[in-house]
Amino acid sequence: MDLSLQTEDRTFQDEVREWLEEQLAGDWQHLRGRGGPSDEDALIEERKLWEQHLGANRWTCLSWPQLAGGRALSLVQEVLFHEAYAAAQGPGRLGHIGETLLGPTLIHHGSDEQKGRFLPAIQQGTDYWCQGYSEPNAGSDLAGVQTRAEVRDGQWVLTGQKTWTSLAHVADWCFVLCRTELGSQRHQGLSYLLVPMDQPGVTIRPIKQITGTSEFNEVFFDGAVTELGHCVGAPGDGWAVAMATLGFERGASTFGQQLNFFNELQDITNAAKQNGCFDDPLIQDRLAQSWMELRVMRLNAWRMIHHLQTDQPSAVGAINKLYWARWHRKMGELAMDVLGPASQRAQTDGELTRLQRVFLFSRADTIYAGSNEIQKTLIAERALGLPRSAR
Amino acid sequence: MRFEFNELQLELRQVVGAFLDGLNPTHTLLSPEKTDETKAWAQAAELGLLGLNAPEAVGGLAGGPVTVAALLEVMGNRHWSSPYLSTVAIGLDALSFSPDQRWVEAIVKGDLQVTLAVLEGRGSLALTDLESTVRGGQIFGRKNFVLHGGAADLFLVVAREAGGHLGLFAVEASAVGLTVCGEAAMDPGRPLATITFEGTPCQRLGGGDAVERILNRAQLYSAAESLGGAQACLDLAVSYAKDRHQFGRPIGSFQAIQHHCAEMLLQVESARSAVYAAAHAAEHEREETAMQIAMAQATASEAFFFCAGTCIQVLGGIAITWEHPVHLFFKRAQGSRTLWGDPSFQRRRFIALGGLDRPLAEAP
Ligand SMILES: Cc1cc2nc3c(=O)[nH]c(=O)nc-3n(C[C@H](O)[C@H](O)[C@H](O)COP(=O)(O)OP(=O)(O)OC[C@H]3O[C@@H](n4cnc5c(N)ncnc54)[C@H](O)[C@@H]3O)c2cc1C
């Protein structure tokens, strides 16, 4: 058992911290701490400039192979970057969908032409992506996708509707899972198309969320077009590519998220000490439970990293999403109980407070990226090898 | 970074696993015939297990807390009901404070079994109600809930010295003025005893620091045992859910059962992280060791209890029979949870040890 970092990793950590501190104390100070969960809409244009600054200094796409424009850094160094970024209160990322979802998909399944066309722009922070999977009738059951595309006049033409599309309103491109074989069912006959957002056939309608802000959107395709060559994998093989996209996340970003959780829980603890409810043994007990679980969450994540690095199956990796999503939701409830009736009071300008937004938006954590129920079924079937349940 | 045991530790775990599979502890506990536990203990000595954390000079393996926890996990997994934790894991450690190394040598050879006599009154690990005292080398008081107290050769006793300070003392079972009153227990593998000391001669092993150290270690090792037990219950449930058919399909294909099992895995894996990290902290004498142990004991004892209870639910009626071993785990889980500081006790300890004030991002 050796839980210490290697010297070169410490050096890397120092380098990241120093660079971020210098930037965020200087020219980019106005972006510090902005654009996080339920503040996604803040300062979009400035944050895109920041992303380009990151790219120019090679702080994006750290884990990508060098040939693809990345730095092929180890998983541990990627973790350290995410931790340092969160600790420095780096602005909420906009390029992460391209960097962590589409990029790796193209690296593994894209044509040379697609790689050449799309990867550099992701690395440089000039192209932003959104994920067009979910539809009104295809949520957890993604194979129910109904959006259609056909080839007409040498290009793909799309018709249909996507929903819950995060950051579609800031994206240049969308990777769309759609049906390209007439009359096909379920996982068959789907394709994975790369579609430009800025065109007459695409309409984006922001959806006002539980917090009053809008991070996700409805996206309508009505004769939207894209080049024939913008299909990843063969036409009809879209399901496999779409699933591959979901498998690339290596778990490094979970560490950055944990530091944000840490800050939130610290605010809640301070609030309890200030308003006196810390004297309530039941509140103390819940705070202690929450803090312990946050620490366990972090240990779990490190153990998962160890497994990934050594190519072992990771049971602890399988429970990560369920663990943090449920923990965060419970933390949101604790925040409100700590504040008491004052939890109902918004800010004087009518905006919700940070903890109110956390309380409300944490309800989404247990729904997206595999709801708790879906996660538990996956754990049972994949990590524990139980027989498939009825679908 | 390597968040896993080393090769030697993994090998030792195999050896212990094979040894215990041979003993088949749950079967032994459930069978009506009385079995001879001394033979198993002698075998453990032959294998070198009883010198696990003893100095090499007395034939020990000089294993640190990570090695000890690694093996206690396996013992908990196989439900071995010996006083290994108190004799070897704690006894060797505590008696290393003693200038007289006879006891240590006897433990390694398998000639001496040790137990901890700590709790009094209703049995709070906070020890605020501790009344036993030591005056002029003699101990006075009464200890409750002493595990394996009837069979022990030596007691490690926590008592107050002059000024009310806590101290750690060794008392031989054969000493004068000592009465052992054995008690049957709900957990058939863990008989209890009440021990009364009336001017019993004792040897001082250390003061408050020593007390804190061995109690912390005991909680860590109990957490490791609980982790092993929790995994055993998960494995029992999963294999049963694959085999057992109802409504024409394996019950493991019902979502309600699947989700029970998923919840168990979540708890087992979290307990594993907490226990391994706490053992690592203890091995390197990290400043936050006690806090990590509080986390480990809270997480692992909760996981064990949850998994044992959930396993019963997954198994159905068979789990309510004496023949099926799951009740042994359930009883053990409840005992380990309460004897070594239950989760709410551990959460209070966690707060007292700065758990709400420390930064998150030190190395793991
Ligand atoms: C904040 C947020 C951002 C999102 N961003 C995107 C995005 O960028 N791109 C995108 O494509 N999608 C996105 N989504 C959509 C997300 O992936 C879906 O919400 C998710 O897949 C669940 O689908 P659904 O909402 O239709 O719920 P449903 O699938 O209808 O689920 C409703 C309930 O039924 C349960 N359920 C469903 N199936 C089963 C089953 N087999 N067994 C047991 N229980 C079941 C669910 O757990 C849930 O409790 C986002 C969602 C949120 C909340």
Side-chain angles (χ1 to χ4, degrees):
Chain A
M1 202 94 58
D2 171 14
L3 304 189
S4 55
L5 293 174
Q6 316 241 303
T7 320
E8 74 235 37
D9 293 336
R10 290 216 178 276
T11 314
F12 174 81
Q13 189 178 37
D14 290 342
E15 190 197 338
V16 181
R17 284 177 176 164
E18 248 168 65
W19 189 84
L20 285 169
E21 192 46 49
E22 201 181 306
Q23 307 304 310
L24 292 167
D27 292 350
W28 304 92
Q29 198 168 17
H30 58 296
L31 291 183
R32 207 165 199 163
R34 296 309 303 272
S38 72
D39 183 36
E40 293 88 353
D41 254 345
L43 307 167
I44 296 288
E45 289 315 311
E46 290 90 332
R47 276 158 64 205
K48 286 188 173 176
L49 292 176
W50 163 254
E51 296 262 345
Q52 286 162 21
H53 185 58
L54 280 179
N57 286 278
R58 306 211 58 203
W59 291 117
T60 57
C61 308
L62 301 179
S63 64
W64 288 13
Q66 275 163 350
L67 272 177
R71 291 172 62 181
L73 293 186
S74 72
L75 192 47
V76 169
Q77 295 195 348
E78 206 188 343
V79 165
L80 296 176
F81 175 81
H82 280 280
E83 270 196 352
Y85 191 88
Q89 292 182 281
R93 292 293 307 274
L94 292 167
H96 56 290
I97 300 176
E99 176 173 335
T100 63
L101 296 177
L102 184 73
T105 307
L106 289 182
I107 289 166
H108 286 87
H109 301 281
S111 65
D112 286 345
E113 211 179 319
Q114 288 165 349
K115 290 181 201 175
R117 163 69 185 81
F118 293 113
L119 295 180
I122 294 175
Q123 195 281 324
Q124 291 156 12
T126 49
D127 271 0
Y128 293 88
W129 286 84
C130 62
Q131 177 180 22
Y133 279 17
S134 303
E135 296 182 5
N137 289 318
S140 304
D141 185 13
L142 188 57
V145 157
Q146 290 166 355
T147 294
R148 285 179 293 120
E150 55 186 352
V151 180
R152 239 188 279 154
D153 301 333
Q155 55 183 2
W156 292 104
V157 182
L158 290 89
T159 315
Q161 185 196 342
K162 294 291 170 182
T163 191
W164 322 128
T165 318
S166 297
L167 300 175
H169 55 301
V170 307
D172 306 290
W173 291 86
C174 183
F175 48 97
V176 179
L177 184 65
C178 57
R179 215 159 271 294
T180 48
E181 285 169 26
L182 207 65
S184 64
Q185 294 287 320
R186 308 288 301 160
H187 312 83
Q188 264 85 50
L190 297 169
S191 296
Y192 191 104
L193 301 185
L194 310 178
V195 181
M197 297 297 275
D198 186 11
Q199 57 166 311
V202 175
T203 308
I204 302 162
R205 241 185 252 155
I207 303 174
K208 196 167 178 181
Q209 294 176 183
I210 191 169
T211 44
T213 55
S214 298
E215 178 260 359
F216 56 37
N217 306 268
E218 291 178 298
V219 177
F220 298 89
F221 301 110
D222 185 10
V225 295
T226 193
E227 284 175 31
L228 213 50
H230 287 352
C231 175
V232 185
D237 282 349
W239 181 260
V241 181
M243 288 304 105
T245 299
L246 301 179
F248 289 121
E249 172 57 44
R250 299 202 295 175
S253 62
T254 206
F255 286 85
Q257 189 187 39
Q258 285 169 14
L259 280 198
N260 295 330
F261 292 169
F262 176 86
N263 290 332
E264 291 166 3
L265 189 52
Q266 207 164 38
D267 283 358
I268 298 167
T269 309
N270 289 337
K273 286 180 175 165
Q274 263 160 27
N275 76 7
C277 80
F278 193 75
D279 297 336
D280 177 348
L282 292 181
I283 289 287
Q284 266 195 38
D285 190 65
R286 287 170 66 190
L287 281 167
Q289 178 77 19
S290 192
W291 277 105
M292 267 193 191
E293 287 176 359
L294 177 57
R295 289 183 174 282
V296 169
M297 191 193 303
R298 188 156 184 281
L299 294 171
N300 281 345
W302 273 113
R303 217 150 58 72
M304 168 179 79
I305 295 293
H306 168 72
H307 292 146
L308 291 173
Q309 268 188 315
T310 48
D311 278 327
Q312 301 180 58
S314 184
V316 73
I319 57 115
N320 184 45
K321 162 79 203 326
L322 176 63
Y323 194 104
W324 73 251
R326 185 158 50 190
W327 178 88
H328 198 220
R329 192 173 72 180
K330 209 161 55 171
M331 189 210 75
E333 294 166 1
L334 176 58
M336 297 299 103
D337 287 348
V338 159
L339 295 174
S343 63
Q344 279 289 311
R345 190 184 285 147
Q347 301 187 64
T348 43
D349 60 2
E351 297 283 309
L352 299 180
T353 65
R354 175 154 171 259
L355 288 180
Q356 284 171 333
R357 282 184 277 130
V358 168
F359 165 64
L360 294 172
F361 202 68
S362 62
R363 306 314 287 196
D365 293 340
T366 55
I367 295 169
Y368 67 74
S371 69
N372 278 14
E373 292 74 21
I374 296 294
Q375 289 293 337
K376 285 191 220 172
T377 300
L378 290 179
I379 293 167
E381 293 178 2
R382 297 199 188 151
L384 294 172
L386 286 169
R388 258 179 83 83
S389 60
R391 292 289 199 278
Chain B
M1 210 231 0
R2 181 188 159 96
F3 209 147
E4 194 175 8
F5 298 118
N6 64 29
E7 297 307 322
L8 178 66
Q9 288 156 347
L10 290 172
E11 215 167 283
L12 276 170
R13 277 159 69 95
Q14 295 255 310
V15 170
V16 173
F19 163 61
L20 293 177
D21 285 341
L23 288 182
N24 200 351
T26 54
H27 178 80
T28 312
L29 273 179
L30 296 175
S31 72
E33 304 102 65
K34 262 213 102 27
T35 44
D36 187 4
E37 295 291 340
T38 53
K39 232 169 68 196
W41 197 252
Q43 277 174 332
E46 265 168 49
L47 282 172
L49 296 180
L50 303 188
L52 185 62
N53 51 334
E56 278 159 358
V58 293
L61 295 172
V66 173
T67 309
V68 177
L71 295 200
L72 273 157
E73 181 193 340
V74 179
M75 293 173 187
N77 186 259
R78 306 303 204 279
H79 201 81
W80 196 27
S81 299
S82 75
Y84 187 90
L85 190 154
S86 56
T87 303
V88 179
I90 299 303
L92 286 177
D93 195 324
L95 294 167
S96 65
F97 296 114
S98 152
D100 183 349
Q101 287 299 292
R102 263 182 318 129
W103 286 326
V104 168
E105 285 162 21
I107 289 173
V108 176
K109 284 204 212 113
D111 295 337
L112 188 89
Q113 290 193 339
V114 180
T115 191
L116 283 119
V118 179
L119 302 177
E120 296 180 17
R122 68 165 198 92
S124 164
L125 200 60
L127 306 187
T128 41
D129 55 0
L130 219 69
E131 287 175 353
S132 295
T133 52
V134 170
R135 294 187 300 262
Q138 294 184 325
I139 189 160
F140 301 85
R142 176 201 298 257
K143 290 291 178 183
N144 292 334
F145 317 112
V146 179
L147 289 182
H148 305 287
D153 306 298
L154 185 88
F155 297 96
L156 293 173
V157 187
V158 177
R160 294 193 190 280
E161 307 184 77
H165 302 296
L166 293 180
L168 181 65
F169 303 88
V171 181
E172 289 188 341
S174 55
V176 293
L178 181 149
T179 325
V180 178
C181 177
E183 296 153 355
M186 178 166 75
D187 178 346
R190 273 187 174 169
L192 297 168
T194 297
I195 318 286
T196 313
F197 305 104
E198 290 163 306
T200 313
C202 60
Q203 187 186 319
R204 187 179 191 274
L205 297 173
D209 289 350
V211 171
E212 216 183 290
R213 177 187 162 94
I214 65 138
L215 290 184
N216 265 317
R217 291 281 164 96
Q219 290 167 77
L220 168 64
Y221 298 143
S222 176
E225 270 190 327
S226 293
L227 166 62
Q231 178 77 58
C233 294
L234 169 61
D235 292 345
L236 272 174
V238 168
S239 73
Y240 191 80
K242 287 178 183 170
D243 285 350
R244 169 78 176 166
H245 281 64
Q246 285 294 283
F247 299 94
R249 28 201 284 223
I251 58 166
S253 71
F254 297 121
Q255 250 189 22
I257 297 293
Q258 292 191 333
H259 291 190
H260 277 319
C261 294
E263 295 286 2
M264 285 195 252
L265 184 70
L266 180 139
Q267 297 227 11
V268 168
E269 287 302 316
S270 301
R272 190 179 304 288
S273 302
V275 169
Y276 292 0
H280 177 266
E283 181 131 331
H284 297 275
E285 303 196 343
R286 292 261 197 97
E287 185 267 328
E288 74 275 12
T289 302
M291 180 196 83
Q292 296 260 44
I293 290 175
M295 273 169 60
Q297 166 64 2
T299 310
S301 70
E302 188 72 53
F304 190 13
F305 189 64
F306 174 83
C307 289
T310 307
C311 181
I312 291 178
Q313 187 63 25
V314 169
L315 264 50
I318 189 81
I320 313 300
T321 66
W322 186 265
E323 275 77 6
H324 197 286
V326 68
H327 69 90
L328 296 174
F329 286 102
F330 187 60
K331 292 164 180 171
R332 179 70 41 92
Q334 192 273 332
S336 295
R337 186 178 142 98
T338 188
L339 283 163
W340 293 114
D342 67 20
S344 69
F345 171 85
Q346 297 298 348
R347 288 195 284 273
R348 278 197 300 279
R349 211 160 87 85
F350 176 79
I351 295 178
L353 292 164
L356 276 50
D357 311 306
R358 290 166 187 268
L360 192 62
E362 319 117 358

